[in-house]
Amino acid sequence: MENTDVAQILAEVADLLELTGGNPFKVRAYRQAAQMVELLPGPVSEAWRKGKLTELPSIGEHIAGHIEEILSTGHFREHDKLMGKVPPGLLEVLMVEGVGPRTVATAWKQLGVKDLDGFERVCRDGALEGLPRLGPKRVVAILEAIERHRARKGRVPLFRALRTAESIIKQLRRVQGVRAAEVAGSIRRRRETVGDIDLLVSATHAEPVVRAFRRVSEVLEVTASGPTKCTARLRMGLQTDLRVVPPESFGAAMHYFTGSKAHNIEVRTRAVHRGFKLSEYGIFDRKGKRLGGATEEEIFKAVALPWIPPELREGTGEVEAAEKGRLPHLVEEGDLKGDLHVHSDASSDAHSDFEELCAEAARLGREYLAITDHSQSRPLGLGDAALHKHAAHIRLLDSRRRTRPHLLAGVEVDILPDGTLDLSLETLRELDWVVASVHAHFSDPPEKMTRRIIRALRSGVVDVLGHPTGRQLGVRDAYAFDLEAVLEVAREEGVALEVNAMPDRMDLPDKSCRLAKEAGVRLVISSDAHHASHLGNLRYGVWMARRGWIEPGDVLNTLALSELRRYLQRGRRAASTYEHEGISP
Ligand code: DGT
Ligand code: CA
Ligand code: CA
Ligand code: ZN
């Protein structure tokens, strides 16, 4: 059982309890536990085996007992019992954005809705409109959300697929005769969602590899199998394609199955222009003589290109850039010196204290952390007075610390529906670092959302716009707003855009990263950690940035602390001076 499976059962219990009018505190406990398990970097089964479940935040004795039941028996009686009471198809209706348990419960009890198709029907035939709180406008919005839900279906967030893929890869590497086992496809290109898992193995004999693959624990059923390939459905829901190739073809196969299709077509065209034949087996000249194929470098070299990082292989100009020697020097995790969006246990949804955060950050080699807890409009968030004290405490602590990381006193302040900020400007001016984010009223019409964000950026106190699109992978799409207008203001005001590295956000999207760079707006890659273990997630943000052609100089937190402080001292509006004086990040 993987973390995702356990988390899913816990989350479903929360949903089912809500549909049957269960205790809201219980609902919340299950939901928080599900989220904790889902985002846990290591396997939850290991924590259980070591008797350490209750040491995890959000997991008390009760929930720990439930997790134990799930892990040891593969079942959860409470879940089975609730499933007997509720049509299972309703769980999917709950996944539609903006459709909550109250609406679903009403549609079920009063209109006999049992699944998404039925729900769509009562939306279209007007039956839903008659119910309380459900006017025609609301119903139109729901129908749009159903469309989006259907479009999303089948794709899985990268972090889930990656965890499973890596586990399978590990098992395949142990098979005798295996020289290499790697993940290809959209996972290797680090797309934020993936349609399936493409695996590639280099081995002289394929048969033992295929046999071992059929038996890995993640495989639910094999749907097609041949001497060198195998397709299976996994327990976590995705399909996986395995191919075994001889070592002399491994590079060619890696290139072919990494894709993207658009990239492959461009590279193949270059091969054809040279009179070569390029396939997943290798690259060959007119006479059929092998020019290469053992490594990807050989393939690229044969068509007179340097090796192109997988994140760029989308057919969006990377082949041309490579040809002209203009490939970007992409940012790497090691370039990041600090983390500028971190929640301490002063945030009601976060769990680690300063000491735990500092210990983990030190282990990761971070030079600085900005502590950015929530402002007052979030549950138990900080008001002006409380934040004032909090900041003083952070600074005192920092002055006493002799080692890395240094602490910056910051905040994640809410951008209210009218675009004002959730704390006084005086308070915000006092801080070292201000993240401003939208946390509610996501469904504002695009013009209103644009005005709202722009007003916040014009406040003169904001350093970075947090998780700029609000998307949650597989759950909620980006809210609609005019990115270009926001970028223009961000540039004028010297406000950066965040690339939020929470694995279920990866927000800023790749294309927007690229637009930000073109608009002259700096980025900040931040973990948005709600637990010390999340500090290690920065790579998810790095991947999105790399897919957006981002280089170290585009990212503020590649600056050392002394440089960052100089940058901040110059004032947020002095972005251009900063460039002129050559303190380039
Ligand atoms: P996904 O699975 O939807 O997240 O995206 P990919 O890119 O992993 O797509 P997938 O799994 O269908 O195929 C893996 C790679 O195989 C793809 O990126 C490029 C290569 N490929 C698949 N079909 C074709 C094709 O018809 N022509 C070319 N040139 N390459 C293909
Ligand atoms: Ca794929
Ligand atoms: Ca595939
Ligand atoms: Zn936030």
Side-chain angles (χ1 to χ4, degrees):
M1 273 241 170
E2 295 182 49
N3 293 7
T4 310
D5 307 311
V6 177
Q8 191 183 338
I9 294 177
L10 295 172
E12 282 183 10
V13 170
D15 287 345
L16 293 162
L17 280 170
E18 235 174 343
L19 287 177
T20 50
N23 175 342
F25 291 102
K26 225 170 134 184
V27 171
R28 205 171 120 91
Y30 277 110
R31 194 149 286 145
Q32 283 188 341
Q35 207 183 5
M36 188 63 220
V37 170
E38 172 86 295
L39 292 175
L40 204 67
V44 65
S45 51
E46 201 176 297
W48 167 52
R49 270 196 300 277
K50 291 185 181 157
K52 289 192 168 171
L53 277 179
T54 49
E55 286 174 25
L56 299 172
S58 299
I59 294 177
E61 295 281 336
H62 238 80
I63 298 270
H66 299 331
I67 294 177
E68 167 153 19
E69 183 185 336
I70 297 169
L71 287 170
S72 57
T73 67
H75 279 280
F76 183 26
R77 275 163 301 168
E78 169 112 15
H79 182 262
D80 298 345
K81 202 176 84 197
L82 285 162
M83 280 301 250
K85 289 191 198 161
V86 178
L90 291 183
L91 292 175
E92 189 180 3
V93 184
L94 277 176
M95 287 162 69
V96 176
E97 220 176 300
V99 177
R102 269 208 306 201
T103 305
V104 177
T106 323
W108 167 35
K109 288 180 185 145
Q110 302 197 17
L111 304 171
V113 166
K114 290 199 182 64
D115 54 21
L116 189 59
D117 288 339
F119 188 66
E120 186 172 2
R121 219 172 302 125
V122 297
C123 285
R124 293 203 188 280
D125 68 16
L128 199 66
E129 278 174 38
L131 300 178
R133 298 184 315 273
L134 287 157
K137 259 170 101 180
R138 180 82 208 288
V139 172
V140 170
I142 291 177
L143 279 167
E144 284 167 6
I146 292 176
E147 290 287 307
R148 288 197 302 273
H149 169 81
R150 293 204 199 276
R152 224 174 9 230
K153 220 169 134 180
R155 297 192 73 79
V156 160
L158 174 66
F159 77 97
R160 277 195 200 136
L162 190 60
R163 201 158 48 198
T164 305
E166 282 174 348
S167 163
I168 300 176
I169 289 278
K170 243 206 252 156
Q171 299 171 63
L172 293 176
R173 285 190 182 139
R174 286 200 291 260
V175 178
Q176 207 169 20
V178 166
R179 302 247 185 115
E182 297 291 343
V183 40
S186 50
I187 300 185
R188 183 163 178 242
R189 302 197 311 279
R190 310 305 190 200
R191 264 191 79 175
E192 69 269 45
T193 64
V194 307
D196 70 353
I197 299 179
D198 301 290
L199 301 175
L200 217 58
V201 170
S202 164
T204 39
H205 300 285
E207 199 266 313
V209 183
V210 174
R211 198 154 17 100
F213 172 74
R214 298 175 62 114
R215 283 201 310 258
V216 303
S217 55
E218 285 84 357
V219 167
L220 182 66
E221 59 169 343
V222 172
T223 49
S225 192
T228 61
K229 51 184 168 184
C230 186
T231 300
R233 219 153 56 76
L234 302 176
R235 279 176 214 291
M236 47 99 59
L238 275 185
Q239 176 177 298
T240 178
D241 284 335
L242 168 80
R243 262 157 228 273
V244 189
V245 297
E248 71 267 20
S249 293
F250 187 62
M254 274 303 274
H255 181 258
Y256 182 86
F257 291 109
T258 295
S260 66
K261 201 165 157 179
H263 167 89
N264 285 357
I265 290 170
E266 278 191 54
V267 175
R268 172 129 22 104
T269 308
R270 282 179 74 87
V272 170
H273 283 324
R274 287 171 167 68
F276 301 157
K277 182 174 170 287
L278 172 62
S279 73
E280 63 262 49
Y281 303 106
I283 186 154
F284 305 89
D285 72 6
R286 239 178 277 267
K287 293 180 193 129
K289 183 176 152 247
R290 171 183 286 276
L291 300 173
T295 65
E296 280 192 340
E297 281 82 356
E298 289 177 5
I299 302 294
F300 283 114
K301 192 159 169 241
V303 293
L305 292 176
W307 182 82
I308 300 176
E311 293 95 328
L312 294 181
R313 299 186 198 166
E314 293 292 345
T316 52
E318 74 280 6
V319 172
E320 195 191 330
E323 163 157 54
K324 296 189 172 143
R326 291 208 197 115
L327 279 177
H329 300 280
L330 297 178
V331 64
E332 291 172 16
E333 191 180 351
D335 295 324
L336 303 183
K337 305 281 196 312
D339 193 335
L340 292 168
H341 187 165
V342 176
H343 293 270
S344 75
D345 55 4
S347 295
S348 63
D349 56 353
H351 313 279
S352 300
D353 59 24
F354 295 137
E355 207 176 307
E356 291 160 334
L357 290 168
C358 287
E360 179 62 6
R363 199 182 69 79
L364 295 167
R366 309 260 191 266
E367 189 191 349
Y368 51 90
L369 293 185
I371 303 294
T372 54
D373 286 305
H374 287 298
S375 62
Q376 53 201 355
S377 64
R378 310 280 303 151
L380 305 176
L382 302 168
D384 289 282
L387 183 59
H388 189 78
K389 268 173 76 181
H390 194 53
H393 181 59
I394 293 167
R395 288 187 175 134
L396 179 67
L397 202 74
D398 184 51
S399 69
R400 288 189 187 146
R401 287 181 58 80
R402 291 275 171 272
T403 56
R404 293 170 169 201
H406 288 287
L407 296 178
L408 300 180
V411 75
E412 180 181 19
V413 63
D414 265 46
I415 300 176
L416 299 173
D418 66 357
T420 58
L421 300 171
D422 188 28
L423 288 163
S424 80
L425 293 182
E426 210 186 340
T427 304
L428 294 167
R429 242 177 245 124
E430 233 182 67
L431 298 168
D432 304 324
W433 183 255
V434 174
V435 183
S437 309
V438 168
H439 282 133
H441 299 272
F442 298 117
S443 50
D444 278 352
E447 310 74 48
K448 181 158 182 237
M449 188 59 97
T450 308
R451 278 199 307 274
R452 178 179 173 187
I453 296 173
I454 285 179
R455 185 166 180 200
L457 299 194
R458 291 273 191 222
S459 66
V461 299
V462 172
D463 292 299
V464 62
L465 177 63
H467 41 73
T469 79
R471 73 174 177 185
Q472 264 183 298
L473 301 173
V475 177
R476 188 173 71 215
D477 286 350
Y479 38 72
F481 67 100
D482 181 346
L483 178 69
E484 281 172 39
V486 166
L487 285 174
E488 174 137 4
V489 174
R491 189 187 48 78
E492 283 172 23
E493 298 286 335
V495 176
L497 256 62
E498 179 178 85
V499 186
N500 188 294
M502 276 297 238
D504 61 346
R505 286 190 185 266
M506 297 178 81
D507 180 16
L508 206 55
D510 43 22
K511 291 193 187 71
S512 309
C513 288
R514 208 165 162 182
L515 287 174
K517 181 184 173 116
E518 279 162 17
V521 172
R522 289 228 157 58
L523 301 177
V524 174
I525 302 176
S526 302
S527 72
D528 194 4
H530 283 64
H531 183 255
S533 67
H534 299 162
L535 290 170
N537 283 338
L538 285 182
R539 63 181 183 283
Y540 287 90
V542 171
W543 289 335
M544 240 344 65
R546 288 170 65 88
R547 286 179 56 80
W549 294 54
I550 298 302
E551 307 184 83
D554 307 319
V555 181
L556 270 184
N557 54 321
T558 60
L559 290 173
L561 182 58
S562 56
E563 297 167 317
L564 181 72
R565 282 206 209 273
R566 267 166 82 194
Y567 172 79
L568 293 172
Q569 266 163 16
R570 259 153 235 259
R572 298 162 173 125
R573 284 162 195 277
S576 50
T577 352
Y578 152 73
E579 260 162 19
H580 289 146
E581 300 193 2
I583 319 168
S584 96

